[in-house]
Amino acid sequence: MGSFLHRHRSLTPYLLLAPGMLWLAIFFLVPMVFLGYQSLQSGLFPHFQFTWEFSNFSSALSGYHTQLVRSFVYAGIATLACLVLAYPLAYWIAFRAGPWRNLFLLFIVAPFFVTYLVRTLAWLNILADQGPVVRVLRDVHVLGPDGRLLATTFAVVAGITYNFFPFMALPLYVSLEQIDPRLLEASKDLYASSTQSFLRVTVPHSMPGIVAGTLLTFIPAAGDFINAALLGTPNQAMIGNVIQAKFLESLDYPTAASLSFILMGTIMVMLLI
Amino acid sequence: MTTAAETLARPARVGFASRAWRFVARHSLTVYALLAVAYLMLPIAIVILFSFNHPTGRFNYVWHKFTFDNWIHWNSVLGIQSALEKSLEIALLATFVATALGTLIALAIVRHRFVGRGATNVVVFLPMSTPEIVMGSSLLALFLNEQNTIQLGFWTIFIAHVMFIISFVVVTVKARLIGFDRHLEEAAMDLGANEWTTFQKVTLPLLAPAIIAAALLGFALSIDDFVITYLNAGPVQTFPIFVWGVARVAVPPQVNVVASAIFLVAIGLGLANVVWQYRAAKSTRGGT
């Protein structure tokens, strides 16, 4: 074996790659082809036939463009909220936390250790009609006497923001942490105010983190359906809710498949822009 | 600067409120960081707190009475124990396989120049940038088209989990390999070790922290996954699927118990790692 590898050194990388890449090819790439195949079928469960049914796409779009647009709007607001909330925290951890750095990083990822569905359900407790948050907001008249937070757009977007916060905070931290403090000193020496050195040195240098965090937050958020299902009503349904219901409840595989493709295609187009 | 601050502070006898305000102004970023962490911790605290609640009715939303009963009789809810066991089995198995496959890919990408390296990087990156619902539904499309031969259940979940964990393993191990000092391996070879011995005795131990980190990440991803699992589970219930089922009726406090237990184990491992890194950093600083 050893001597065989020695004689065919150029084969080594392919042997190392083979098992894992085969797995990804068979269970990630091939399924995409099947999804495409299914999206062009017609008929009713369980008798689907492949008929190059491109009208699936147009009818899916006309039927569910509301949910599609809503998904991107919610994901966009949540991503922006994550960026605004996470940046100062990541900044503090990178520049001010000192020995506490690792502990605070652990705090950031801690929500991941609680089952996704359970931590989303916890927001049900927090935002509940009888809960303290609603009571205070009613007392200060931000909410009307019957106002509620649950089953509103606010609850869904807040849930998404909370759940994907670490995806934003971690890349931000990584890029901020790599900034050479001497750059900031240099900008001070050149008489930049702290605002100027923040805007002209810190922010541009943390751009890779901002981009990575935005992608890591926006993409899963756009496909999410748990927050809308648990914290919202059908009026807050996102495209994920529709795809999931089409696949598992109404057994309308072709529509579900074409919606999946539309979701992915839209994200790809956004990535390229 | 200090003197200015002192002269400001000295006329003192100012009220507690204004002193507090000055403190806040000076440390506003720190205060913000603490508030942000409080925000992140709040739902976790609620989950743990309500695992000790003795709810009055079917709904565990309002605090009523403290009790240990839920922890003692955690498996008294039908289906919860088998769901947790399924989750653990799948997570262990999928993590093991995905860590092995992912580490090999990382070694190939970092150590070798070969035709198709760019394409490999793209294929590894794709699963991480695809919404879960799309991956889940495409796998389901594959399995449905082969429905005579493939039965949805344990093995389809396993296949799906290995698939989405691999990329994360590759990224984690790759990061470590890039900063890897190859002189150590060369030294081993100079001392007469062959490639396999070098790999076993030098490369693997040095990579171990990254491989362990990747495995922990994979395990966490697997045990927490709902979307992909739900689409490909058939009749099998993992813990998240069990929670989804009861969320539509009423969530028993035992769900909080299991989630809290998973959290405490994970955070325990995380804290141990933080302390270990802190000590390691201290000892190297002391050494030089």
Side-chain angles (χ1 to χ4, degrees), chain A residues 9 14 16-17 19 23 27 31 34 38 85 92 102 107 115-117 123-125 162 226 247-248 253 260, chain B residues 30 32 39-41 43 61 101 104 114-115 137-138 140-142 144-145 159 162 195 224 226 230 240 277:
Chain A
R9 279 206 67 99
Y14 297 106
L16 291 172
L17 285 176
W23 201 289
F27 300 119
F34 271 93
Q38 193 140 52
L85 290 173
W92 184 84
N102 284 327
F107 278 136
T115 312
Y116 190 116
L117 286 164
W123 282 100
L124 272 182
N125 291 43
Y162 177 80
I226 292 166
F247 257 121
L248 296 178
Y253 303 150
S260 290
Chain B
T30 309
Y32 175 80
Y39 159 74
L40 289 174
M41 294 301 114
Y61 291 142
L101 300 184
L104 294 181
F114 55 92
V115 181
S137 52
S138 65
L140 181 61
L142 171 78
L144 286 174
N145 275 286
I159 286 171
V162 173
E195 287 187 3
D224 194 29
F226 173 69
Y230 184 54
Q277 281 185 11

Side-chain angles (χ1 to χ4, degrees), chain B residues 215-230:
Chain B
L216 287 176
L217 175 67
F219 191 87
L221 287 169
S222 168
I223 206 165
D224 194 29
D225 183 73
F226 173 69
V227 178
I228 298 178
T229 313
Y230 184 54

Side-chain angles (χ1 to χ4, degrees), chain B:
Chain B
M1 188 64 206
T2 13
T3 45
E6 275 166 17
T7 42
L8 272 178
R10 210 165 296 146
R13 306 286 151 154
V14 277
F16 172 77
S18 71
R19 258 189 298 157
W21 170 246
R22 206 168 295 151
F23 182 83
V24 167
R26 211 180 310 145
H27 298 275
S28 53
L29 200 58
T30 309
V31 171
Y32 175 80
L34 293 174
L35 283 176
V37 166
Y39 159 74
L40 289 174
M41 294 301 114
L42 177 67
I44 301 175
I46 298 267
V47 168
I48 297 176
L49 180 70
F50 277 78
S51 75
F52 293 105
N53 189 22
H54 181 91
T56 36
R58 290 193 309 141
F59 293 99
N60 189 19
Y61 291 142
V62 182
W63 181 259
H64 179 235
K65 206 171 86 189
F66 183 90
T67 175
F68 280 118
D69 284 358
N70 310 320
W71 281 80
I72 295 164
H73 306 291
W74 72 273
N75 57 359
S76 66
V77 178
L78 197 67
I80 197 170
Q81 186 174 354
S82 64
L84 179 63
E85 285 166 0
K86 274 280 168 322
S87 278
L88 291 172
E89 283 167 23
I90 292 169
L92 279 173
L93 207 59
T95 304
F96 182 76
V97 174
T99 308
L101 300 184
T103 304
L104 294 181
I105 295 180
L107 279 167
I109 294 180
V110 177
R111 290 292 174 83
H112 299 271
R113 298 284 168 273
F114 55 92
V115 181
R117 192 159 164 269
T120 309
N121 270 320
V122 172
V123 172
V124 167
F125 174 75
L126 271 177
M128 291 190 292
S129 61
T130 308
E132 279 198 275
I133 186 93
V134 176
M135 277 194 279
S137 52
S138 65
L139 258 180
L140 181 61
L142 171 78
F143 294 144
L144 286 174
N145 275 286
E146 301 291 330
Q147 69 197 136
N148 298 325
T149 43
I150 297 174
Q151 198 113 55
L152 291 178
F154 186 91
W155 293 108
T156 51
I157 303 177
F158 164 75
I159 286 171
H161 283 208
V162 173
M163 184 269 290
F164 72 74
I165 298 171
I166 287 180
S167 304
F168 289 94
V169 174
V170 176
V171 171
T172 313
V173 177
K174 223 170 91 176
R176 172 93 182 183
L177 268 173
I178 288 172
F180 194 91
D181 188 358
R182 296 207 68 171
H183 296 316
L184 293 168
E185 289 173 325
E186 284 162 19
M189 305 270 248
D190 287 347
L191 293 169
N194 64 25
E195 287 187 3
W196 175 240
T197 317
T198 310
F199 180 76
Q200 240 185 326
K201 294 269 165 79
V202 179
T203 318
L204 213 51
L206 283 170
L207 275 186
I211 295 176
I212 292 170
L216 287 176
L217 175 67
F219 191 87
L221 287 169
S222 168
I223 206 165
D224 194 29
D225 183 73
F226 173 69
V227 178
I228 298 178
T229 313
Y230 184 54
L231 285 162
N232 293 288
V236 170
Q237 283 212 323
T238 61
F239 180 63
I241 295 179
F242 174 83
V243 176
W244 177 255
V246 292
R248 293 165 163 205
V249 207
V251 183
Q254 277 82 355
V255 164
N256 294 47
V257 171
V258 172
S260 305
I262 294 175
F263 171 75
L264 292 173
V265 170
I267 208 82
L269 289 173
L271 275 175
N273 185 34
V274 167
V275 170
W276 181 64
Q277 281 185 11
Y278 183 70
R279 287 228 180 119
K282 230 177 167 181
S283 68
T284 46
R285 229 180 292 141
T288 45

Side-chain angles (χ1 to χ4, degrees), chain A residues 160-182:
Chain A
I160 297 175
T161 306
Y162 177 80
N163 279 318
F164 296 109
F165 186 92
F167 286 123
M168 180 64 88
L170 287 178
L172 282 180
Y173 163 77
V174 171
S175 67
L176 284 168
E177 196 251 354
Q178 282 169 350
I179 297 178
D180 190 337
R182 282 174 298 186

